[in-house]
Amino acid sequence: MSIEGAEEGLDYYAFDDFEMADMDDDIDFRGRVLGDSDTDEEDEDDDDHNRFDKKITDTSAAEAKKGKDIQGIPWDILSVSRDKYRQTRLEQYKNYENIPQSGDDSQKDCKHTWKGGNYYEFWQNTRSVKSTILHFQLRNLVWSTSKHDVYLMSHYSIIHWSSLSCKRTEVLNVSGHVAPSEKHPGNLQEGFTQTQVSTLSVRDNLLIAGGFQGELICKFLDRPGVSFCARTTYDDNAITNAVEIYNCSSGALRFMASNNDSGVRDFDLETFQQLKCFCYPWPVNHSSLSPDGKRILIVGDNLDGLLVDSQTGKTIESLRGHKDFSFATAWHPDGCLFATGNQDKTCRVWDSRNLSKSVHVLKGNMGAIRSIRFTSDGQFMAMAEPADFVHVYDVKNGYEKEQEIDFFGEISGVSFSPDTESLFIGVWDRTYGSLLQYNRCRNHTYLDSIFF
């Protein structure tokens, strides 16, 4: 991710009271941090929406089945229909590109998929937690640890939401001073102040937040305080673009950080020591470790991605086909298939046994593919655009059919629960910001099984 990209951003549309905002009167968040909400101008903007905001309620599955909009948008009293507004969004949404016309150039390669799949059904939309975005290109700010538990960024707070108890809990507030409560070599005892969180990762009982200045904040959820604070780099172009937590072959817990200084770093989570650092010719926007731990999938500010050896960092194969810079990667649990998401509005699926070309090219509707997730059983893959659309594909049936989840608002992240039962989607919008939950469709529910 280039500095120029961070400064330019993209345009964002929102609703204004009981009428849709003029599509030419956009809210622009070019490189600014949404958590900086203490200016007079932003306070006034919040006040303007308080009256309307209070009229919007949560939406349950039962209400949605009766016809209520899943986001609570009162289309019946607005001056534009949902279909008309969707059409306008599709026509006027401005996808950010580093390579001009990359989205148009990629269309000829795209696979035709049949829409109408029904793999995850709407369960609830809660406005008790409002997910926010700190950088327009980085959308890994929502993580599920169970079918009821999800973690997300909300301004300067990392929030835990339980859909079972319908309670939100602040896990970590980074608006003030954050300092480690444990002693480890390399731990910055002075900590950080007003960290601008660019990326997030949560797995089991561990939470790691990455920052705009190369910060790493590590917290075990079952321990008080913060365990470790460090800077990955003091480079001027230091932003932490992605973090992945994983278990190595010995079972030890580790994490990998991808940075804008072109580095990929590996850390041990018992000692919090850096074990490896690989450097590449361009900023690394995202990386993922293969299920067998032997390969790392790397993408960044380059048209080609890389598959590299996890021990040496040396390139095994270059991945050619995308027309722009990539910001998302994910491995299928089988360790053979993997996917890359690009600003050319496509997700490419690759087979590591033959990397001469991608095996599928999947098309977004409006913009870059900024987040990709596979279910742990390998049945489905979700890819998220910057706004409005999350696509869920039936992987085991060759990506021939997809479910298109359609709403309005910028997407801060998507996450399947580890047991595959839930799909969470963070939505940022000054009026309709919320957390969407979809549950996996099953032939029979738990209660149905009682009667068999």
Side-chain angles (χ1 to χ4, degrees):
M1 173 181 49
S2 66
I3 291 296
E4 291 178 358
E7 290 172 349
E8 290 189 22
L10 49 80
D11 294 327
Y12 171 74
Y13 312 119
F15 302 103
D16 192 3
D17 290 342
F18 289 97
E19 295 183 355
M20 293 299 177
D22 183 340
M23 298 300 286
D24 293 324
D25 184 20
D26 305 332
I27 298 175
D28 186 14
F29 63 108
R30 297 181 180 177
R32 76 182 177 93
V33 179
L34 300 181
D36 292 340
S37 59
D38 54 354
T39 65
D40 292 339
E41 181 180 348
E42 287 170 336
D43 287 342
E44 290 172 5
D45 182 68
D46 289 340
D47 290 341
D48 289 341
H49 290 272
N50 281 343
R51 177 173 61 85
F52 187 45
D53 190 65
K54 291 176 182 177
K55 296 178 183 291
I56 308 164
T57 59
D58 292 353
T59 304
S60 66
E63 290 172 322
K65 288 177 181 178
K66 292 179 181 178
K68 181 179 178 181
D69 182 84
I70 62 170
Q71 293 178 273
I73 301 172
W75 296 105
D76 55 332
I77 60 173
L78 293 173
S79 60
V80 64
S81 68
R82 190 186 196 281
D83 289 344
K84 178 61 177 176
Y85 191 64
R86 167 54 65 214
Q87 180 184 351
T88 305
R89 287 274 282 183
L90 288 170
E91 292 171 354
Q92 297 191 15
Y93 191 89
K94 300 174 184 178
N95 179 47
Y96 182 80
E97 298 174 337
N98 285 98
I99 309 299
Q101 307 304 313
S102 64
D104 295 334
D105 293 343
S106 67
Q107 298 307 297
K108 65 181 183 298
D109 300 328
C110 291
K111 175 187 182 74
H112 175 73
T113 58
W114 297 98
K115 296 181 181 179
N118 187 32
Y119 315 126
Y120 284 80
E121 59 183 349
F122 174 77
W123 179 250
Q124 68 175 356
N125 181 52
T126 177
R127 301 184 66 255
S128 298
V129 284
K130 297 187 178 182
S131 186
T132 54
I133 300 164
L134 286 86
H135 191 286
F136 74 97
Q137 289 172 308
L138 305 178
R139 306 300 182 92
N140 291 300
L141 296 169
V142 175
W143 290 88
S144 172
T145 56
S146 84
K147 63 182 177 181
H148 302 302
D149 298 284
V150 63
Y151 295 81
L152 67 155
M153 284 302 305
S154 184
H155 299 293
Y156 275 104
S157 293
I158 299 174
I159 300 295
H160 167 250
W161 169 255
S162 169
S163 62
L164 192 61
S165 64
C166 294
K167 291 183 179 180
R168 57 169 280 164
T169 306
E170 184 179 70
V171 176
L172 183 64
N173 189 308
V174 295
S175 63
H177 187 66
V178 175
S181 57
E182 301 177 13
K183 292 185 178 181
H184 300 281
N187 215 345
L188 290 181
Q189 295 299 326
E190 66 272 22
F192 306 115
T193 300
Q194 289 192 332
T195 304
Q196 300 172 357
V197 175
S198 52
T199 191
L200 185 69
S201 185
V202 185
R203 179 174 169 181
D204 299 326
N205 279 319
L206 178 65
L207 179 154
I208 302 176
F212 273 57
Q213 303 301 320
E215 302 99 329
L216 286 173
I217 300 174
C218 304
K219 175 179 173 56
F220 287 95
L221 299 173
D222 56 354
R223 301 182 197 172
V226 168
S227 294
F228 188 69
C229 289
R231 289 192 189 278
T232 53
T233 175
Y234 287 88
D235 192 277
D236 290 339
N237 195 4
I239 189 168
T240 306
N241 291 325
V243 173
E244 181 181 33
I245 303 169
Y246 69 95
N247 290 100
C248 66
S249 57
S250 68
L253 200 60
R254 293 182 179 176
F255 74 92
M256 184 167 56
S258 306
N259 282 78
N260 229 41
D261 71 342
S262 306
V264 176
R265 296 169 174 84
D266 197 50
F267 293 83
D268 177 74
L269 275 165
E270 183 175 343
T271 62
F272 294 100
Q273 295 303 293
Q274 179 176 301
L275 302 176
K276 301 170 191 170
C277 179
F278 305 137
C279 292
Y280 298 93
W282 27 261
V284 178
N285 296 329
H286 203 272
S287 58
S288 298
L289 186 71
S290 63
D292 63 8
K294 295 180 179 180
R295 296 155 294 171
I296 305 174
L297 174 58
I298 294 174
V299 298
D301 286 6
N302 193 53
L303 300 188
D304 300 340
L306 297 175
L307 193 63
V308 308
D309 184 279
S310 64
Q311 297 302 311
T312 65
K314 293 183 178 179
T315 299
I316 298 171
E317 194 78 46
S318 292
L319 309 171
R320 297 183 174 90
H322 279 302
K323 314 296 184 183
D324 207 316
F325 298 167
S326 294
F327 283 82
T329 64
W331 283 88
H332 187 276
D334 69 4
C336 295
L337 297 177
F338 58 84
T340 53
N342 193 275
Q343 291 183 154
D344 64 9
K345 300 184 184 179
T346 71
C347 167
R348 286 181 178 259
V349 180
W350 311 77
D351 189 325
S352 60
R353 294 164 293 192
N354 182 4
L355 293 170
S356 58
K357 65 177 182 177
S358 54
V359 293
H360 300 293
V361 185
L362 308 173
K363 180 176 67 173
N365 293 329
M366 297 199 313
I369 307 306
R370 299 211 177 275
S371 188
I372 303 171
R373 298 285 185 269
F374 285 98
T375 52
S376 59
D377 63 358
Q379 177 70 57
F380 302 109
M381 184 194 82
M383 70 177 201
E385 300 187 41
D388 293 22
F389 293 101
V390 173
H391 308 263
V392 182
Y393 292 91
D394 185 344
V395 176
K396 290 192 175 179
N397 288 298
Y399 301 83
E400 297 292 336
K401 196 172 183 180
E402 68 166 292
Q403 175 183 0
E404 186 177 87
I405 300 175
D406 175 348
F407 50 92
F408 294 100
E410 295 285 318
I411 300 170
S412 64
V414 296
S415 182
F416 288 111
S417 60
D419 64 1
T420 80
E421 290 301 314
S422 297
L423 170 63
F424 293 95
I425 304 169
V427 182
W428 180 75
D429 183 282
R430 61 175 178 172
T431 304
Y432 292 97
S434 65
L435 181 69
L436 290 165
Q437 180 179 349
Y438 284 75
N439 287 352
R440 188 164 177 173
C441 297
R442 299 290 189 183
N443 291 331
H444 301 290
T445 65
Y446 173 76
L447 291 178
D448 289 336
S449 67
I450 296 174
F451 302 101
F452 289 97

